[in-house]
Amino acid sequence: MANKDLDFLFLTESDKSWLAAAIDFEGSISLCRVKNYNINGAIHIFRPSIRLAVTNKNLINHISKLLGVPVFFEPREGIKNKDSYAILIHPNKGRLLLPLLLPYLLAKKEQAKLLLEVYSLRNGHKLFKNNPKLIRIKEIHIIMKELNKRGK
């Protein structure tokens, strides 16, 4: 029996190109720093994030179906603001999806390359203080923050 969670690995070239364009225009590829609490107190971890938010419900539902991810409704306040719909791509899925989209990304190609480097550094493991790989991930976090500033 086929694994439905991996169906996105068989996207057509056309689907890959327009999905990459959607991420370039309406999405974000980032590395989030999150506080994680354990018995020793708070520590910061770095979580890869691929997010896409649009106001067109048909488009986001199509993308959701292609990637096998849920849609989140994001209501907006005010007359000029439209409600939007978003998808968040789990880091494990992002690790497999980004290499498929990389040739088609234009505006977010650098962020994608950096996130792929983070995936390879983490290799599914948690990294602890003063680990050279963690130091590089912190550097990537700073670079990605700069790349993702508005207007860049």
Side-chain angles (χ1 to χ4, degrees):
M1 189 164 144
N3 184 347
K4 283 282 193 200
D5 282 346
L6 299 178
D7 282 354
F8 72 92
L9 293 174
F10 304 102
L11 293 171
T12 65
E13 295 305 308
S14 174
D15 285 341
K16 291 176 195 175
S17 66
W18 71 255
L19 183 55
I23 290 172
D24 267 342
F25 290 113
E26 300 291 340
S28 67
I29 298 173
S30 58
L31 186 61
C32 303
R33 190 174 82 176
V34 182
K35 271 189 184 178
N36 194 12
Y37 296 92
N38 63 19
I39 59 171
N40 298 322
I43 58 168
H44 286 102
I45 59 171
F46 295 90
R47 179 172 293 139
S49 174
I50 303 170
R51 181 179 184 276
L52 178 65
V54 297
T55 57
N56 185 301
K57 192 173 183 178
N58 292 331
L59 175 62
I60 203 72
N61 284 337
H62 182 68
I63 294 170
S64 169
K65 185 178 172 189
L66 277 178
L67 299 179
V69 295
V71 174
F72 298 95
F73 176 65
E74 297 180 335
R76 300 286 186 226
E77 303 248 345
I79 297 169
K80 293 184 181 180
N81 298 323
K82 284 183 165 183
D83 292 340
S84 68
Y85 305 89
I87 60 168
L88 299 170
I89 299 169
H90 189 275
N92 291 339
K93 193 168 273 194
R95 173 192 296 267
L96 300 171
L97 180 64
L98 271 184
L100 301 175
L101 302 182
L102 191 62
Y104 303 100
L105 288 167
L106 299 174
K108 305 229 171 35
K109 189 179 283 267
E110 266 320 295
Q111 290 93 322
K113 287 178 182 176
L114 288 167
L115 205 58
L116 285 170
E117 183 181 346
V118 169
Y119 286 130
S120 69
L121 288 169
R122 284 181 51 189
N123 199 21
H125 302 291
K126 290 184 179 173
L127 301 174
F128 297 98
K129 200 174 184 178
N130 300 325
N131 182 315
K133 291 180 180 181
L134 182 59
I135 293 167
R136 175 62 183 146
I137 289 173
K138 288 178 181 179
E139 292 170 353
I140 290 171
H141 177 254
I142 292 167
I143 295 166
M144 287 184 79
K145 273 178 57 175
E146 192 61 33
L147 287 170
N148 287 330
K149 278 188 179 176
R150 270 190 200 267
K152 289 233 173 191

PDB file of all heavy atoms in Angstrom, residues 4-6 8-9 50 66-69 89-99 119:
ATOM      1  N   LYS A   4       0.387   7.824   1.392  1.00  0.00           N
ATOM      2  CA  LYS A   4      -0.221   9.060   0.886  1.00  0.00           C
ATOM      3  C   LYS A   4       0.597  10.290   1.270  1.00  0.00           C
ATOM      4  O   LYS A   4       0.573  11.288   0.574  1.00  0.00           O
ATOM      5  CB  LYS A   4      -1.645   9.201   1.415  1.00  0.00           C
ATOM      6  CG  LYS A   4      -2.636   8.331   0.713  1.00  0.00           C
ATOM      7  CD  LYS A   4      -2.984   8.965  -0.602  1.00  0.00           C
ATOM      8  CE  LYS A   4      -4.194   8.323  -1.229  1.00  0.00           C
ATOM      9  NZ  LYS A   4      -4.251   8.581  -2.630  1.00  0.00           N
ATOM     10  N   ASP A   5       1.320  10.231   2.390  1.00  0.00           N
ATOM     11  CA  ASP A   5       2.124  11.372   2.831  1.00  0.00           C
ATOM     12  C   ASP A   5       3.280  11.662   1.883  1.00  0.00           C
ATOM     13  O   ASP A   5       3.865  12.737   1.932  1.00  0.00           O
ATOM     14  CB  ASP A   5       2.677  11.142   4.235  1.00  0.00           C
ATOM     15  CG  ASP A   5       1.635  11.389   5.309  1.00  0.00           C
ATOM     16  OD1 ASP A   5       0.583  11.984   4.993  1.00  0.00           O
ATOM     17  OD2 ASP A   5       1.865  10.990   6.456  1.00  0.00           O
ATOM     18  N   LEU A   6       3.644  10.716   1.054  1.00  0.00           N
ATOM     19  CA  LEU A   6       4.776  10.904   0.139  1.00  0.00           C
ATOM     20  C   LEU A   6       4.344  11.110  -1.310  1.00  0.00           C
ATOM     21  O   LEU A   6       5.184  11.185  -2.197  1.00  0.00           O
ATOM     22  CB  LEU A   6       5.732   9.711   0.243  1.00  0.00           C
ATOM     23  CG  LEU A   6       6.352   9.495   1.622  1.00  0.00           C
ATOM     24  CD1 LEU A   6       7.243   8.262   1.613  1.00  0.00           C
ATOM     25  CD2 LEU A   6       7.141  10.707   2.070  1.00  0.00           C
ATOM     26  N   PHE A   8       3.469  13.718  -2.768  1.00  0.00           N
ATOM     27  CA  PHE A   8       4.009  14.958  -3.324  1.00  0.00           C
ATOM     28  C   PHE A   8       5.367  14.738  -4.006  1.00  0.00           C
ATOM     29  O   PHE A   8       5.798  15.571  -4.803  1.00  0.00           O
ATOM     30  CB  PHE A   8       4.134  16.035  -2.236  1.00  0.00           C
ATOM     31  CG  PHE A   8       5.241  15.782  -1.260  1.00  0.00           C
ATOM     32  CD1 PHE A   8       6.495  16.311  -1.477  1.00  0.00           C
ATOM     33  CD2 PHE A   8       5.027  15.005  -0.136  1.00  0.00           C
ATOM     34  CE1 PHE A   8       7.515  16.078  -0.577  1.00  0.00           C
ATOM     35  CE2 PHE A   8       6.039  14.772   0.761  1.00  0.00           C
ATOM     36  CZ  PHE A   8       7.288  15.299   0.538  1.00  0.00           C
ATOM     37  N   LEU A   9       6.035  13.643  -3.718  1.00  0.00           N
ATOM     38  CA  LEU A   9       7.323  13.362  -4.359  1.00  0.00           C
ATOM     39  C   LEU A   9       7.164  13.121  -5.855  1.00  0.00           C
ATOM     40  O   LEU A   9       8.142  13.169  -6.598  1.00  0.00           O
ATOM     41  CB  LEU A   9       7.998  12.154  -3.709  1.00  0.00           C
ATOM     42  CG  LEU A   9       8.457  12.352  -2.269  1.00  0.00           C
ATOM     43  CD1 LEU A   9       8.968  11.038  -1.692  1.00  0.00           C
ATOM     44  CD2 LEU A   9       9.521  13.428  -2.178  1.00  0.00           C
ATOM     45  N   ILE A  50       8.503  26.344   6.265  1.00  0.00           N
ATOM     46  CA  ILE A  50       8.057  26.692   4.914  1.00  0.00           C
ATOM     47  C   ILE A  50       6.563  26.948   5.042  1.00  0.00           C
ATOM     48  O   ILE A  50       5.809  26.076   5.486  1.00  0.00           O
ATOM     49  CB  ILE A  50       8.334  25.572   3.898  1.00  0.00           C
ATOM     50  CG1 ILE A  50       9.817  25.220   3.882  1.00  0.00           C
ATOM     51  CG2 ILE A  50       7.862  25.990   2.505  1.00  0.00           C
ATOM     52  CD1 ILE A  50      10.151  23.973   3.097  1.00  0.00           C
ATOM     53  N   LEU A  66      -2.280  18.541  -3.011  1.00  0.00           N
ATOM     54  CA  LEU A  66      -1.031  18.083  -3.637  1.00  0.00           C
ATOM     55  C   LEU A  66       0.011  17.663  -2.615  1.00  0.00           C
ATOM     56  O   LEU A  66       0.702  16.657  -2.792  1.00  0.00           O
ATOM     57  CB  LEU A  66      -0.421  19.188  -4.507  1.00  0.00           C
ATOM     58  CG  LEU A  66      -0.938  19.372  -5.914  1.00  0.00           C
ATOM     59  CD1 LEU A  66      -0.229  20.558  -6.557  1.00  0.00           C
ATOM     60  CD2 LEU A  66      -0.746  18.133  -6.749  1.00  0.00           C
ATOM     61  N   LEU A  67       0.147  18.453  -1.549  1.00  0.00           N
ATOM     62  CA  LEU A  67       1.212  18.224  -0.573  1.00  0.00           C
ATOM     63  C   LEU A  67       0.767  17.375   0.622  1.00  0.00           C
ATOM     64  O   LEU A  67       1.607  16.952   1.418  1.00  0.00           O
ATOM     65  CB  LEU A  67       1.760  19.562  -0.074  1.00  0.00           C
ATOM     66  CG  LEU A  67       2.381  20.460  -1.136  1.00  0.00           C
ATOM     67  CD1 LEU A  67       2.866  21.763  -0.506  1.00  0.00           C
ATOM     68  CD2 LEU A  67       3.512  19.755  -1.862  1.00  0.00           C
ATOM     69  N   GLY A  68      -0.526  17.172   0.763  1.00  0.00           N
ATOM     70  CA  GLY A  68      -1.008  16.386   1.893  1.00  0.00           C
ATOM     71  C   GLY A  68      -0.811  17.095   3.222  1.00  0.00           C
ATOM     72  O   GLY A  68      -0.395  16.490   4.202  1.00  0.00           O
ATOM     73  N   VAL A  69      -1.105  18.404   3.238  1.00  0.00           N
ATOM     74  CA  VAL A  69      -0.978  19.195   4.464  1.00  0.00           C
ATOM     75  C   VAL A  69      -2.304  19.912   4.742  1.00  0.00           C
ATOM     76  O   VAL A  69      -3.055  20.199   3.821  1.00  0.00           O
ATOM     77  CB  VAL A  69       0.174  20.230   4.368  1.00  0.00           C
ATOM     78  CG1 VAL A  69       1.516  19.535   4.256  1.00  0.00           C
ATOM     79  CG2 VAL A  69      -0.029  21.186   3.211  1.00  0.00           C
ATOM     80  N   ILE A  89       4.398  23.610   6.104  1.00  0.00           N
ATOM     81  CA  ILE A  89       4.976  22.340   5.678  1.00  0.00           C
ATOM     82  C   ILE A  89       5.908  21.838   6.768  1.00  0.00           C
ATOM     83  O   ILE A  89       6.860  22.527   7.145  1.00  0.00           O
ATOM     84  CB  ILE A  89       5.700  22.499   4.325  1.00  0.00           C
ATOM     85  CG1 ILE A  89       4.683  22.949   3.264  1.00  0.00           C
ATOM     86  CG2 ILE A  89       6.376  21.195   3.919  1.00  0.00           C
ATOM     87  CD1 ILE A  89       5.289  23.382   1.962  1.00  0.00           C
ATOM     88  N   HIS A  90       5.609  20.675   7.301  1.00  0.00           N
ATOM     89  CA  HIS A  90       6.394  20.078   8.379  1.00  0.00           C
ATOM     90  C   HIS A  90       7.859  19.949   7.932  1.00  0.00           C
ATOM     91  O   HIS A  90       8.137  19.649   6.769  1.00  0.00           O
ATOM     92  CB  HIS A  90       5.820  18.701   8.726  1.00  0.00           C
ATOM     93  CG  HIS A  90       6.427  18.109   9.944  1.00  0.00           C
ATOM     94  ND1 HIS A  90       7.609  17.398   9.912  1.00  0.00           N
ATOM     95  CD2 HIS A  90       6.032  18.126  11.238  1.00  0.00           C
ATOM     96  CE1 HIS A  90       7.914  17.008  11.138  1.00  0.00           C
ATOM     97  NE2 HIS A  90       6.972  17.428  11.958  1.00  0.00           N
ATOM     98  N   PRO A  91       8.816  20.173   8.856  1.00  0.00           N
ATOM     99  CA  PRO A  91      10.235  20.075   8.483  1.00  0.00           C
ATOM    100  C   PRO A  91      10.627  18.773   7.787  1.00  0.00           C
ATOM    101  O   PRO A  91      11.432  18.790   6.854  1.00  0.00           O
ATOM    102  CB  PRO A  91      10.962  20.229   9.818  1.00  0.00           C
ATOM    103  CG  PRO A  91      10.041  21.061  10.653  1.00  0.00           C
ATOM    104  CD  PRO A  91       8.652  20.630  10.242  1.00  0.00           C
ATOM    105  N   ASN A  92      10.062  17.640   8.201  1.00  0.00           N
ATOM    106  CA  ASN A  92      10.410  16.378   7.544  1.00  0.00           C
ATOM    107  C   ASN A  92       9.955  16.362   6.086  1.00  0.00           C
ATOM    108  O   ASN A  92      10.638  15.833   5.216  1.00  0.00           O
ATOM    109  CB  ASN A  92       9.811  15.189   8.289  1.00  0.00           C
ATOM    110  CG  ASN A  92      10.471  14.973   9.630  1.00  0.00           C
ATOM    111  OD1 ASN A  92      11.591  15.418   9.867  1.00  0.00           O
ATOM    112  ND2 ASN A  92       9.767  14.317  10.522  1.00  0.00           N
ATOM    113  N   LYS A  93       8.787  16.941   5.826  1.00  0.00           N
ATOM    114  CA  LYS A  93       8.281  17.027   4.462  1.00  0.00           C
ATOM    115  C   LYS A  93       9.071  18.082   3.680  1.00  0.00           C
ATOM    116  O   LYS A  93       9.373  17.907   2.506  1.00  0.00           O
ATOM    117  CB  LYS A  93       6.789  17.365   4.479  1.00  0.00           C
ATOM    118  CG  LYS A  93       6.115  17.176   3.149  1.00  0.00           C
ATOM    119  CD  LYS A  93       4.609  17.245   3.281  1.00  0.00           C
ATOM    120  CE  LYS A  93       4.093  15.872   3.613  1.00  0.00           C
ATOM    121  NZ  LYS A  93       2.650  15.715   3.448  1.00  0.00           N
ATOM    122  N   GLY A  94       9.425  19.167   4.349  1.00  0.00           N
ATOM    123  CA  GLY A  94      10.205  20.230   3.705  1.00  0.00           C
ATOM    124  C   GLY A  94      11.569  19.742   3.234  1.00  0.00           C
ATOM    125  O   GLY A  94      12.062  20.148   2.186  1.00  0.00           O
ATOM    126  N   ARG A  95      12.165  18.854   4.015  1.00  0.00           N
ATOM    127  CA  ARG A  95      13.469  18.276   3.660  1.00  0.00           C
ATOM    128  C   ARG A  95      13.392  17.549   2.312  1.00  0.00           C
ATOM    129  O   ARG A  95      14.338  17.562   1.539  1.00  0.00           O
ATOM    130  CB  ARG A  95      13.898  17.303   4.755  1.00  0.00           C
ATOM    131  CG  ARG A  95      15.144  16.509   4.458  1.00  0.00           C
ATOM    132  CD  ARG A  95      15.319  15.366   5.448  1.00  0.00           C
ATOM    133  NE  ARG A  95      15.527  15.811   6.803  1.00  0.00           N
ATOM    134  CZ  ARG A  95      16.722  15.997   7.358  1.00  0.00           C
ATOM    135  NH1 ARG A  95      17.813  15.756   6.668  1.00  0.00           N
ATOM    136  NH2 ARG A  95      16.834  16.385   8.600  1.00  0.00           N
ATOM    137  N   LEU A  96      12.259  16.932   2.033  1.00  0.00           N
ATOM    138  CA  LEU A  96      12.077  16.208   0.779  1.00  0.00           C
ATOM    139  C   LEU A  96      11.546  17.101  -0.343  1.00  0.00           C
ATOM    140  O   LEU A  96      11.852  16.882  -1.517  1.00  0.00           O
ATOM    141  CB  LEU A  96      11.102  15.039   0.999  1.00  0.00           C
ATOM    142  CG  LEU A  96      11.531  13.996   2.027  1.00  0.00           C
ATOM    143  CD1 LEU A  96      10.394  13.033   2.307  1.00  0.00           C
ATOM    144  CD2 LEU A  96      12.776  13.262   1.573  1.00  0.00           C
ATOM    145  N   LEU A  97      10.744  18.106   0.011  1.00  0.00           N
ATOM    146  CA  LEU A  97      10.112  18.963  -0.993  1.00  0.00           C
ATOM    147  C   LEU A  97      11.066  20.008  -1.580  1.00  0.00           C
ATOM    148  O   LEU A  97      11.058  20.242  -2.794  1.00  0.00           O
ATOM    149  CB  LEU A  97       8.894  19.666  -0.375  1.00  0.00           C
ATOM    150  CG  LEU A  97       8.113  20.594  -1.293  1.00  0.00           C
ATOM    151  CD1 LEU A  97       7.481  19.809  -2.438  1.00  0.00           C
ATOM    152  CD2 LEU A  97       7.050  21.352  -0.510  1.00  0.00           C
ATOM    153  N   LEU A  98      11.889  20.621  -0.740  1.00  0.00           N
ATOM    154  CA  LEU A  98      12.752  21.715  -1.224  1.00  0.00           C
ATOM    155  C   LEU A  98      13.661  21.326  -2.388  1.00  0.00           C
ATOM    156  O   LEU A  98      13.781  22.101  -3.341  1.00  0.00           O
ATOM    157  CB  LEU A  98      13.582  22.301  -0.080  1.00  0.00           C
ATOM    158  CG  LEU A  98      12.936  23.444   0.682  1.00  0.00           C
ATOM    159  CD1 LEU A  98      13.902  23.997   1.722  1.00  0.00           C
ATOM    160  CD2 LEU A  98      12.440  24.546  -0.202  1.00  0.00           C
ATOM    161  N   PRO A  99      14.301  20.164  -2.368  1.00  0.00           N
ATOM    162  CA  PRO A  99      15.141  19.818  -3.521  1.00  0.00           C
ATOM    163  C   PRO A  99      14.344  19.712  -4.833  1.00  0.00           C
ATOM    164  O   PRO A  99      14.878  20.002  -5.905  1.00  0.00           O
ATOM    165  CB  PRO A  99      15.741  18.456  -3.153  1.00  0.00           C
ATOM    166  CG  PRO A  99      15.676  18.401  -1.671  1.00  0.00           C
ATOM    167  CD  PRO A  99      14.457  19.186  -1.285  1.00  0.00           C
ATOM    168  N   TYR A 119      19.042  21.367   7.158  1.00  0.00           N
ATOM    169  CA  TYR A 119      18.569  19.978   7.208  1.00  0.00           C
ATOM    170  C   TYR A 119      19.746  19.008   7.238  1.00  0.00           C
ATOM    171  O   TYR A 119      19.738  18.036   7.980  1.00  0.00           O
ATOM    172  CB  TYR A 119      17.691  19.662   5.995  1.00  0.00           C
ATOM    173  CG  TYR A 119      16.309  20.266   6.027  1.00  0.00           C
ATOM    174  CD1 TYR A 119      15.818  20.969   4.937  1.00  0.00           C
ATOM    175  CD2 TYR A 119      15.475  20.119   7.132  1.00  0.00           C
ATOM    176  CE1 TYR A 119      14.539  21.503   4.940  1.00  0.00           C
ATOM    177  CE2 TYR A 119      14.195  20.664   7.141  1.00  0.00           C
ATOM    178  CZ  TYR A 119      13.737  21.342   6.043  1.00  0.00           C
ATOM    179  OH  TYR A 119      12.479  21.872   6.048  1.00  0.00           O
TER     180      TYR A 119
END
